[in-house]
Amino acid sequence: MISVLLAVLFVVSLCVFCRARSQKKVARGTALHWRFAMASRDSRFIATAIVVTAVVFIGGRFLYTRQDDDNNFSPNPMPDWEKNVKNNSRWIVVTTIQLPTKPMITLSKLVGWAVVVVGDTKTPASWSLPNCVFLSVERQKELNYRIHKLLPYRAYSRKNIGYLFAIRHGARVIYETDDDNELITNTIEEAFQVDLKHLNKDLLIYQPGPNQSTVNPYVHFGQPSVWPRGYPLSDIALSYQPVRYAKFGAGLMPLIQQGVANGDPDVDAIFRLTRKEAGKKIVIKFDPKAPPVALPPFMMTPFNSQNTLFHYQSLWGMLIPITTTFRVCDIWRGYWAQRLNWEVGGSLTFSTASVYQDRNEHDFTLDYADELDLY
């Protein structure tokens, strides 16, 4: 295509040049003066044509080369150990720095699901469980993904490698969670709409009020005084206003699904600094009978990466930002993903607790500093 454009440019330039030569008009002055003027003008024209053609040619060849590289892109050759990994349509992605926890053992036994565990520099090299692919730091390098050189160590964003690995090995659905989330349902299918061909008949959808653009999903599950990390602080007082619903209709698909967590759920540092009793753990229980609920377009709420399911049409939305802080990265991802999700006919849904979170120890003051961008 670039070669054709260059040929056209050359022909046009030649025609213009010939036309200029054919339109000689003898003006006032001597013929010698006219010849010198024409020679000077022709020289400038030829020089300009050469420069423009050269610039277009060099730029065109560069773009053509880049386009050719993209069109002929092929996946990196698999290392020998990866060739033994079987493809699967349903994957679980987790990152950890601990030896296998009880929740991880539970996940490894789920029928129909494959598990990929992304390690970091602190993760024990001996990490191993049946039905789990452990990606040590060394194995992550061997995968040779382009994103690898951009990911810092000791960072949650290394989870991106797990997403790419699952997609490369046939993922149509990805469920992500943390190593301290104990599954309290027998299967993931009990908690989420894994099969989009048979939607839950009880699925509701919020009906926003006048000028309402956010909603606190914890209200729907019986906890109006609790709010998720990343929820606008200015909207917390609105949690006690009546909420309207409708039946989930045609035209939308629950492509991103968030399950809430009993125990110590994902609330922000302000909640923990002001509500947690000294020496006691936070223990919150959500209404187990509350049906799943979806957000319509133009209504938003934060969702995290701790008990979340993505369908194939929204796997692009799993990218964890690299330049934000740990307590911000998945929330920014969530707002970005749910906005673009509207463009593909998708919706974000919430379902009642399917995990119990016995949260690892945190310094709430440091968490607050880490979350400042959210406030």
Side-chain angles (χ1 to χ4, degrees):
M1 183 64 184
I2 297 298
S3 301
V4 174
L5 291 176
L6 290 174
V8 171
L9 177 63
F10 176 76
V11 172
V12 171
S13 300
L14 185 62
C15 291
V16 172
F17 175 72
C18 293
R19 184 172 182 270
R21 294 283 295 182
S22 66
Q23 291 181 343
K24 299 176 183 177
K25 293 182 179 179
V26 179
R28 292 180 181 178
T30 65
L32 181 62
H33 173 79
W34 179 85
R35 290 192 185 97
F36 278 124
M38 283 298 297
S40 176
R41 188 181 68 177
D42 290 348
S43 298
R44 291 196 298 270
F45 176 82
I46 293 171
T48 302
I50 291 173
V51 171
V52 171
T53 303
V55 170
V56 173
F57 178 78
I58 294 171
R61 290 304 301 170
F62 172 75
L63 292 174
Y64 180 80
T65 302
R66 291 295 300 274
Q67 184 184 44
D68 187 63
D69 287 345
D70 291 339
N71 290 341
N72 293 288
F73 172 77
S74 58
N76 296 320
M78 288 187 181
D80 290 339
W81 60 266
E82 188 183 4
K83 294 177 181 177
N84 297 321
V85 177
K86 294 181 179 180
N87 283 3
N88 202 61
S89 61
R90 298 178 180 183
W91 280 85
I92 300 169
V93 179
V94 184
T95 183
T96 187
I97 58 173
Q98 306 182 78
L99 286 170
T101 59
K102 183 181 177 184
M104 288 302 306
I105 295 173
T106 300
L107 293 176
S108 70
K109 296 178 179 179
L110 293 177
V111 177
W113 292 83
V115 184
V116 57
V117 179
V118 183
D120 211 328
T121 54
K122 290 185 177 181
T123 312
S126 60
W127 203 102
S128 179
L129 273 179
N131 194 39
C132 295
V133 179
F134 174 56
L135 299 181
S136 63
V137 170
E138 290 73 22
R139 283 189 166 185
Q140 292 171 37
K141 293 178 182 177
E142 292 174 2
L143 293 172
N144 201 29
Y145 293 159
R146 293 181 180 182
I147 198 174
H148 181 269
K149 62 183 178 181
L150 304 175
L151 300 175
Y153 290 105
R154 299 187 180 186
Y156 193 69
S157 58
R158 299 201 72 81
K159 202 173 187 182
N160 286 315
I161 293 179
Y163 305 145
L164 292 174
F165 186 89
I167 292 170
R168 185 174 187 177
H169 287 277
R172 305 293 295 185
V173 177
I174 295 180
Y175 170 69
E176 61 175 339
T177 185
D178 284 349
D179 61 0
D180 57 359
N181 276 353
E182 179 66 44
L183 196 65
I184 58 177
T185 56
N186 293 321
T187 65
I188 294 174
E189 287 81 356
E190 288 182 24
F192 296 94
Q193 297 277 293
V194 177
D195 184 359
L196 294 180
K197 295 179 181 179
H198 302 91
L199 295 182
N200 190 324
K201 296 180 180 179
D202 296 326
L203 181 59
L204 302 176
I205 189 167
Y206 287 109
Q207 292 292 291
N211 302 318
Q212 184 182 5
S213 59
T214 63
V215 65
N216 180 356
Y218 290 174
V219 175
H220 176 73
F221 299 102
Q223 294 289 351
S225 64
V226 186
W227 62 92
R229 173 171 55 98
Y231 191 70
L233 300 182
S234 58
D235 290 355
I236 292 174
L238 303 177
S239 297
Y240 294 91
Q241 294 184 352
V243 179
R244 297 183 304 162
Y245 304 95
K247 280 288 185 181
F248 190 83
L252 288 176
M253 296 296 286
L255 299 181
I256 304 176
Q257 303 171 31
Q258 169 86 85
V260 297
N262 284 339
D264 192 351
D266 188 30
V267 294
D268 62 27
I270 290 179
F271 182 92
R272 290 196 170 91
L273 288 168
T274 58
R275 303 290 185 89
K276 182 181 180 299
E277 295 184 45
K280 294 184 178 181
K281 289 187 175 183
I282 293 177
V283 179
I284 294 172
K285 184 176 181 181
F286 292 99
D287 182 1
K289 296 182 180 180
V293 62
L295 275 71
F298 307 107
M299 177 177 272
M300 285 189 167
T301 199
F303 73 89
N304 58 39
S305 58
Q306 299 175 14
N307 185 28
T308 316
L309 185 138
F310 285 77
H311 279 278
Y312 181 80
Q313 297 91 325
S314 292
L315 293 184
W316 47 263
M318 300 196 76
L319 177 68
I320 296 284
I322 297 169
T323 58
T324 64
T325 63
F326 166 63
R327 299 284 296 170
V328 170
C329 63
D330 59 339
I331 301 301
W332 274 179
R333 176 194 77 168
Y335 278 120
W336 168 77
Q338 64 186 293
R339 171 59 188 89
L340 293 182
N341 203 34
W342 304 341
E343 303 301 325
V344 295
S347 66
L348 168 66
T349 66
F350 281 80
S351 56
T352 195
S354 51
V355 298
Y356 186 93
Q357 185 154 35
D358 187 8
R359 190 171 296 275
N360 299 322
E361 288 297 325
H362 280 241
D363 184 320
F364 301 146
T365 304
L366 292 179
D367 283 352
Y368 171 79
D370 218 25
E371 294 172 1
L372 281 176
D373 284 344
L374 294 178
Y375 307 139

